[in-house]
Amino acid sequence: MALSTCSPSSGRPDAGLRESAAAGTAIVAPHGELDLLTAPVLAERLDALTAGPLPDLVVDLRSVSFIDCSGLSVLCRARNRVLLRNGRLRLVSDSPAFRRLLEHTRLAGVFELMPRLPRALDPGPPVDADPP
C-alpha cells in the first residue's frame, strides 16, 4: 500500500478522488486514507453515481493506503444501492491486506474484486501532447 498524503491546510489525511468514465462505466479512484474523516467525501460521490437506474461503477482502491470500518461501510452502502438498481459494482485492489480485511470482516465474496482495471476501462499511460 502507498503512503498516505496529508492536506497542507488541515494536516489530516487526504482522501482525494479521481474520477473518469469509460465504456459507460464510472471509475472512481480514491487515494490516501479512507477513514471516519475522509469516507464522507467518497460516500457523497458514490451516492450520486448510484442514484440512477443500472449504475455501472468501478472503485479503484489501489491508491488507498488505509481503510477502516467507515470506508468499508461506504463500500457496502454503494454495493446495496447498486444491487437495488440492477447495476454492477467492481472493486479494484491488488493489496493482500485489503483481501485479509474483507476475509476478517466476512465480506470476502460479497464484492466483485479485481486486481487491476479491465483492459476496456484502463486509460493506459498518459499520451504526450508534444512528441519529441
Side-chain angles (χ1 to χ4, degrees), residues 3 25 28 30 33 36-37 40-41 61 86-87 101 104 108-109 111 127:
L3 295 174
T25 300
V28 178
E33 296 184 2
L36 183 63
L37 294 175
V41 174
L61 299 169
N86 298 311
L101 178 65
H104 291 303
F111 294 99
V127 177

Side-chain angles (χ1 to χ4, degrees), residues 29-100:
H31 57 87
E33 296 184 2
L34 190 48
D35 60 14
L36 183 63
L37 294 175
T38 59
V41 174
L42 179 61
E44 182 178 330
R45 191 63 197 130
L46 295 182
D47 280 356
L49 291 169
T50 59
L54 303 171
D56 188 7
L57 180 61
V58 171
V59 180
D60 185 348
L61 299 169
R62 292 177 293 176
S63 294
V64 171
S65 59
F66 174 82
I67 185 167
D68 70 3
C69 60
S70 302
L72 286 178
S73 177
V74 168
L75 297 175
C76 288
R77 176 180 168 84
R79 176 190 174 271
N80 293 339
R81 290 173 57 88
V82 164
L83 292 178
L84 283 172
R85 292 161 178 82
N86 298 311
R88 184 177 185 193
L89 171 66
R90 292 167 276 178
L91 303 181
V92 178
S93 177
D94 54 2
S95 167
F98 182 67
R99 288 182 186 274
R100 278 194 310 276

